[in-house]
Amino acid sequence: MCEGSSSSEMKVVFPMKLISWSLEDQNGEALTTPILLQDRNGPCPLIALVNTLVLQFDFRNAHFDGGILSQSEKQYEQIKNLKSKLFTHYHNSSSIDLADILGLVADLFLVYAEDVPNLLHEMVDNILQQLPKLHTGLDVDPNLTNGDFSQDLATTLFTIFDLRFKHGWVIEDCGRKGYTDDEDDSTNEPLLILHDLQTFDKVQDYLLLLDTNSSVAENQRLIRMWLDETCSQLTMKGLKLLDLDLSSPQFAIFFRNNHFNTLFKKSRNEFYLLITDSSFQSKSGKLVWQSLNSVSGEGDLFFTGDFMPVLDIDQDIGQQGETFDSDMMLLRQLQEEEDEALARKMQEKYEKRKTRQSPKETVVKKNEETASKPVKEKKKKKFFGFLSR
């Protein structure tokens, strides 16, 4: 945490709105939940954490045991207090300051940490000191074989809060057709290498190797091709694993395109993302969910709080339809630009390293692994730290 940044952090304000939502088995009774919204520079890890916690709290209260048995009494009361404070801030100003929300999250974290066995006080203190990173950035390293992440602050924090943390950027099985026209076993070599490397950080290290072996260079080319083809950070294999790994119904924190969001698995192969973009704030709360059904996003729809599809924008949203269409065009354009920029930056970094490194330097780096560690950390932060938008 940088002490000099505290004054600017104090000025950060989160827009808020109330959403009304329900499931079929609630007998028509809707839940009202206050959520944080994200503007262009919004810190999505903090927004995703808070929204997922309060939505899960309301869901458990309505569908199971009043939430008591699924968490300790202290946890129940502390999340209830969090929701109450969010309601108060919403009714006062429809917003909440960063300092206020961080204080509420810190209080909640201390309560949850009490129930984690063998959690050292030093670790608790360290996590509390790093909580502002929920606003300034979280580094994550996706495991490309299982939809999970390497152990870091994000995984530790979300685990303590008893939240699942998943992504859908997963390598296809090695038995699929390869990336070249040849049908021999060598076409699967890049996939086998990706499975062996597992994490994106290790994939980057492999791509930065300078090797005179032509097969290594070819595998690097094919791996870059796979990264370009999956630059949206979602694959069909990832969606299938997401369905297997999450029970239904269940809330989770979902990572895609350098963005953290609240995911709700309603039933088998039925996923919804919570809409938190502040440009939708004026839509009278009607647009609450967006489906996650396909890699391309072409089959995804917007839904109301009770999971009814919004098929006719003019009819369902009224005169705001034209504004909605403009918002959607802007959001899609920004997403496409972000995906292209990510792939372009990766490629540029590889090419620069190739021109700057001599074979001799590469051999030295292989023999002195510790010398490459700072470079690895820098790469990790560049590509998978949260990018403020």
Side-chain angles (χ1 to χ4, degrees):
M1 180 174 61
C2 177
E3 295 180 359
S5 63
S6 59
S7 60
S8 62
E9 289 175 0
M10 294 293 289
K11 299 177 183 178
V12 176
V13 176
F14 298 88
M16 298 177 62
K17 78 172 183 179
L18 297 183
I19 62 170
S20 178
W21 61 289
S22 63
L23 300 178
E24 293 87 343
D25 57 352
Q26 288 180 213
N27 297 320
E29 295 183 7
L31 302 171
T32 301
T33 306
I35 65 169
L36 306 183
L37 302 178
Q38 179 177 350
D39 56 23
R40 182 162 296 185
N41 296 313
C44 59
L46 181 57
I47 292 172
L49 172 62
V50 173
N51 289 342
T52 307
L53 283 170
V54 292
L55 283 166
Q56 179 175 264
F57 173 78
D58 281 349
F59 175 75
R60 287 175 171 176
N61 286 350
H63 291 84
F64 294 105
D65 48 28
I68 299 296
L69 298 180
S70 57
Q71 56 202 317
S72 70
E73 184 176 351
K74 284 186 176 181
Q75 292 174 358
Y76 175 85
E77 292 298 330
Q78 198 65 38
I79 298 185
K80 184 179 179 180
N81 176 67
L82 169 64
K83 181 182 175 183
S84 176
K85 292 294 179 63
L86 291 177
F87 265 122
T88 300
H89 281 276
Y90 173 79
H91 289 300
N92 288 341
S93 62
S94 296
S95 63
I96 186 171
D97 293 340
L98 172 64
D100 291 333
I101 196 63
L102 282 178
L104 292 170
V105 170
D107 291 340
L108 187 61
F109 168 76
L110 289 174
V111 171
Y112 270 81
E114 291 179 0
D115 294 332
V116 178
N118 304 319
L119 185 62
L120 301 177
H121 290 294
E122 292 80 1
M123 182 176 293
V124 172
D125 292 340
N126 180 55
I127 292 177
L128 285 174
Q129 291 176 5
Q130 296 188 70
L131 277 182
K133 288 186 177 181
L134 287 169
H135 164 61
T136 59
L138 278 181
D139 296 328
V140 295
D141 183 19
N143 187 312
L144 303 179
T145 66
N146 59 17
D148 291 324
F149 299 84
S150 299
Q151 192 68 30
D152 51 26
L153 173 61
T155 55
T156 300
L157 186 63
F158 297 148
T159 299
I160 290 176
F161 278 117
D162 193 27
L163 296 174
R164 297 296 302 274
F165 181 35
K166 302 293 293 182
H167 70 87
W169 196 18
V170 179
I171 307 160
E172 300 291 341
D173 294 331
C174 292
R176 60 165 281 193
K177 184 179 179 180
Y179 294 101
T180 66
D181 294 332
D182 298 329
E183 293 298 329
D184 57 81
D185 292 339
S186 63
T187 58
N188 280 326
E189 185 65 21
L191 289 174
L192 291 170
I193 293 173
L194 285 170
H195 274 278
D196 290 339
L197 295 172
Q198 295 191 347
T199 70
F200 185 77
D201 272 359
K202 292 180 179 178
V203 170
Q204 289 184 86
D205 290 338
Y206 179 83
L207 292 177
L208 291 172
L209 291 177
L210 292 179
D211 199 307
T212 57
N213 190 322
S214 60
S215 63
V216 172
E218 176 64 9
N219 286 333
Q220 289 175 329
R221 185 186 70 82
L222 295 174
I223 289 173
R224 291 192 187 98
M225 184 184 299
W226 182 85
L227 293 173
D228 289 341
E229 291 174 352
T230 62
C231 63
S232 65
Q233 298 179 6
L234 186 65
T235 63
M236 286 305 301
K237 179 68 174 180
L239 283 174
K240 292 177 182 178
L241 280 182
L242 196 64
D243 187 53
L244 291 174
D245 291 345
L246 295 179
S247 58
S248 57
Q250 183 177 9
F251 280 97
I253 292 179
F254 187 67
F255 179 83
R256 182 188 181 190
N257 289 333
N258 301 315
H259 182 68
F260 298 75
N261 204 348
T262 297
L263 175 76
F264 182 57
K265 180 184 176 183
K266 187 171 179 285
S267 60
R268 183 178 179 184
N269 293 316
E270 189 177 3
F271 302 102
Y272 298 90
L273 294 171
L274 180 68
I275 297 175
T276 58
D277 194 288
S278 60
S279 65
F280 293 95
Q281 189 175 11
S282 62
K283 304 300 185 292
S284 303
K286 289 186 177 181
L287 297 179
V288 176
W289 311 103
Q290 181 178 7
S291 59
L292 181 72
N293 297 320
S294 63
V295 174
S296 65
E298 293 180 357
D300 297 338
L301 299 173
F302 288 95
F303 289 78
T304 61
D306 54 357
F307 298 93
M308 296 297 294
V310 179
L311 301 177
D312 189 331
I313 299 300
D314 292 332
Q315 177 180 336
D316 296 337
I317 306 299
Q319 296 180 352
Q320 297 169 333
E322 183 176 349
T323 304
F324 173 81
D325 291 338
S326 299
D327 290 340
M328 281 307 305
M329 290 179 63
L330 176 60
L331 288 174
R332 287 171 180 167
Q333 179 183 347
L334 291 175
Q335 186 61 73
E336 290 174 359
E337 291 175 354
E338 185 175 279
D339 293 343
E340 292 174 359
L342 178 63
R344 186 169 58 252
K345 286 179 180 179
M346 290 166 57
Q347 186 64 36
E348 289 174 353
K349 186 174 182 67
Y350 302 145
E351 296 302 327
K352 288 180 180 179
R353 287 293 299 274
K354 281 184 178 181
T355 58
R356 291 177 182 175
Q357 283 184 315
S358 67
K360 180 178 180 180
E361 289 174 331
T362 305
V363 173
V364 172
K365 288 182 182 293
K366 289 181 180 178
N367 294 333
E368 299 177 11
E369 295 180 359
T370 56
S372 64
K373 189 172 183 180
V375 177
K376 178 179 178 181
E377 291 299 319
K378 183 176 181 181
K379 294 191 303 240
K380 179 178 180 181
K381 291 181 179 179
K382 180 171 182 179
F383 293 118
F384 282 97
F386 164 67
L387 305 178
S388 295
R389 300 189 299 176

